[in-house]
């Protein structure tokens, strides 16, 4: 698989207006979503400092952009003085470094607390000390938990059912408190199921699309957990990058949370069928036991982010699957 994804930067040239040229900190910038953001920021002529401990991120993901405008600092988001020093050099931070897996957070709840919550607090605190630099951070659909009605809207109270969801909700609550007490402006981006080129399929916790595409490449049947009737709202990584940049660009004061999805619900059975159609195969999937602690339904109401940030999910699931499959097989 190649690095790919340069076309994503081209997609964002229209965002240059009003954004101004600046230097940004991107934590988790060598990871899947972070590396696409770094590419887009480079395409917009911004300077970027990437902070990544390379635990799941990879240097190769951003190799193409390292140079005079972009540097990689290997370090931990929990290192307060490092975070403060790096934020001091920038106009604001995109905070994507996290322990991102729901099942892993169930196995290692204290580690999730430490990385996801303490890491975010470090940045909020650094911002407070430095005259309130804007923080746009990755939150999650996991803050909602299982609900009785869908789609979910930002006005619904959080009812997380995993440590990961709880810790992301606590990040948002701290961010709101920092806005009220210290005027730190921040935005929590509630990512739904993000997919696209460079998503690593190698762990059992990897995103389902990366795993399914990997199986297809190797002519192997995937395992669908449960009966496959569970649904997800899949959003292409390019659309997520658009949302992140628009959030940084927004003039809104205080704290805001936004759903970042497509607003479309797809069952895992349908997802496999669409992928088989894209590839032109007819491989039946195996069924395995349902995963513990996971939500059954996920669907975002995206009217708030559309109205307030001008976000539009541009890439259909089929288009995104084609792009991702092409990248995986190049
Ligand atoms: C996603 C996010 C997670 C969190 C959560 C919020 C990813 C990788 N994870 O978790 O960080 O934000 O949403 O709700 O995006 N599945 C299979 N077979 C496989 C792998 C997965 O059937 O080989 C199913 C799985 O049981 C689930 C669905 O596919 O129903 C999506 O799984 P996932 O791991 O891609 O993402 P999810 O929704 O658990």
């Amino acid at each position: 698989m190649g690095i790919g994804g340069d076309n994503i930067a081209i997609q964002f040239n229209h965002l240059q207006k009003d954004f101004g040229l600046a230097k940004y900190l991107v934590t988790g910038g060598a990871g899947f979503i972070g590396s696409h953001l770094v590419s887009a920021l480079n395409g917009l002529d911004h300077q970027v400092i990437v902070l990544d401990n390379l635990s799941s991120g990879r240097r190769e993901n951003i190799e193409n952009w390292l140079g005079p405008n972009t540097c990689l600092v290997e370090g931990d988001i929990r290192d307060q003085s490092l975070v403060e020093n790096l934020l001091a050099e920038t106009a604001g931070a995109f905070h994507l470094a996290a322990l991102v897996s729901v099942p892993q957070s169930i196995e290692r709840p204290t580690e999730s607390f430490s990385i996801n919550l303490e890491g975010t607090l470090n940045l909020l605190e650094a911002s407070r000390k430095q005259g309130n630099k804007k923080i746009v951070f990755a939150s999650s659909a996991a803050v909602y938990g299982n609900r009785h009605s869908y789609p979910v809207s930002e006005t619904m109270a959080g009812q997380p059912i995993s440590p990961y969801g709880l810790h992301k909700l606590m990040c948002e609550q701290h961010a709101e408190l920092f806005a009220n007490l210290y005027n730190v402006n921040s935005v929590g981006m509630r990512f739904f199921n993000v997919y696209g080129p460079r998503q690593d399929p190698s762990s059992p916790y990897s995103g389902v699309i990366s795993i399914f595409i990997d199986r297809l490449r190797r002519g192997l049947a995937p395992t669908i957990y449960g009966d496959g009737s569970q649904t997800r709202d899949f959003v292409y990584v390019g659309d997520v990058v658009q949302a992140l940049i628009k959030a940084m660009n927004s003039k809104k004061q205080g704290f805001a949370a936004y759903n970042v999805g497509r607003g479309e619900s797809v069952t895992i059975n349908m997802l496999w069928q669409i992928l088989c159609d894209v590839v032109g195969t007819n491989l039946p999937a195996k069924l395995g036991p349902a995963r513990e602690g996971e939500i059954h339904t996920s669907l975002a109401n995206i009217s708030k982010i559309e109205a307030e940030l001008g976000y539009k999910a541009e890439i259909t699931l089929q288009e995104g699957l084609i792009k991702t499959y092409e990248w995986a097989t190049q």
Side-chain angles (χ1 to χ4, degrees):
M1 290 176 209
I3 295 301
D6 284 322
N7 55 335
I8 287 177
I10 294 163
Q11 190 186 332
F12 299 108
N13 286 341
H14 63 284
L15 290 171
Q16 184 67 62
K17 198 160 58 75
D18 299 333
F19 196 36
L21 288 185
K23 190 171 188 177
Y24 291 100
L25 176 63
V26 180
T27 75
F32 159 51
I33 300 174
S35 65
H36 286 284
L37 176 64
V38 169
S39 157
L41 291 171
N42 266 264
L44 295 170
D45 289 332
H46 296 296
Q47 291 186 302
V48 182
I49 300 176
V50 172
L51 172 62
D52 202 302
N53 67 1
L54 301 182
S55 62
S56 58
R58 293 161 60 218
R59 193 186 170 89
E60 303 90 89
N61 282 343
I62 50 167
E63 198 92 69
N64 288 354
W65 297 283
L66 294 179
N69 284 335
T70 297
C71 69
L72 168 64
V73 176
E74 276 183 55
D76 196 303
I77 183 66
R78 291 166 291 181
D79 181 339
Q80 176 124 36
S81 61
L82 176 65
V83 167
E84 281 180 13
N85 289 338
L86 296 181
L87 189 69
E89 287 186 41
T90 63
F94 295 92
H95 173 42
L96 304 174
L99 183 81
V100 292
S101 157
V102 170
Q104 267 181 316
S105 82
I106 292 172
E107 284 164 22
R108 302 181 341 231
T110 51
E111 196 179 339
S112 167
F113 181 92
S114 163
I115 296 172
N116 293 331
L117 183 59
E118 289 174 11
T120 305
L121 261 176
N122 260 351
L123 259 178
L124 291 169
E125 177 65 0
S127 169
R128 176 174 81 93
K129 287 183 181 166
Q130 291 170 25
N132 306 332
K133 291 180 175 167
K134 188 157 183 181
I135 312 290
V136 174
F137 65 93
S139 182
S140 170
V143 302
Y144 290 110
N146 277 318
R147 314 307 293 231
H148 295 300
S149 66
Y150 289 89
V152 287
S153 302
E154 293 87 343
T155 47
M156 293 176 168
Q159 290 174 3
I161 58 168
S162 63
Y164 179 75
L166 176 63
H167 300 148
K168 287 293 182 180
L169 182 62
M170 291 166 82
C171 289
E172 291 189 7
Q173 290 169 334
H174 278 86
E176 186 161 24
L177 199 68
F178 270 63
N180 295 339
L181 289 177
Y182 315 118
N183 300 316
V184 171
N185 293 326
S186 67
V187 187
M189 308 297 277
R190 295 181 178 177
F191 293 158
F192 281 66
N193 287 68
V194 187
Y195 71 98
R198 291 189 222 126
Q199 193 169 28
D200 179 6
S202 63
S203 133
Y205 308 118
S206 300
V208 63
I209 290 179
S210 68
I211 293 176
F212 281 8
I213 286 181
D214 188 56
R215 295 288 183 282
L216 274 171
R217 276 179 59 234
R218 298 193 278 138
L220 300 172
T223 301
I224 290 179
Y225 301 135
D227 63 5
S229 69
Q230 68 269 37
T231 69
R232 293 294 184 268
D233 186 338
F234 292 103
V235 58
Y236 187 67
V237 67
D239 284 330
V240 171
V241 170
Q242 174 209 152
L244 287 165
I245 292 178
K246 284 179 169 164
M248 181 61 82
N249 202 17
S250 160
K251 302 282 182 288
K252 202 171 178 329
Q253 298 290 302
F255 169 76
Y258 294 105
N259 287 345
V260 186
R262 233 192 101 66
E264 268 176 23
S265 197
V266 180
T267 69
I268 300 305
N269 287 329
M270 277 164 61
L271 171 70
W272 176 244
Q273 192 50 56
I274 298 170
L275 257 174
C276 284
D277 291 347
V278 162
V279 175
T281 182
N282 194 10
L283 196 62
K286 296 182 284 189
L287 292 183
R291 258 187 193 168
E292 222 180 298
E294 75 166 28
I295 54 175
H296 184 268
T297 308
S298 184
L299 174 62
N301 178 332
I302 54 171
S303 51
K304 183 179 176 193
I305 190 169
E306 285 176 333
E308 294 187 9
L309 298 187
Y311 164 84
K312 187 174 180 316
E314 288 171 346
I315 306 294
T316 65
L317 180 58
Q318 198 181 26
E319 287 166 348
L321 291 178
I322 291 170
K323 283 172 184 280
T324 310
Y325 186 74
E326 281 175 357
W327 167 80
T329 52
Q330 76 191 5

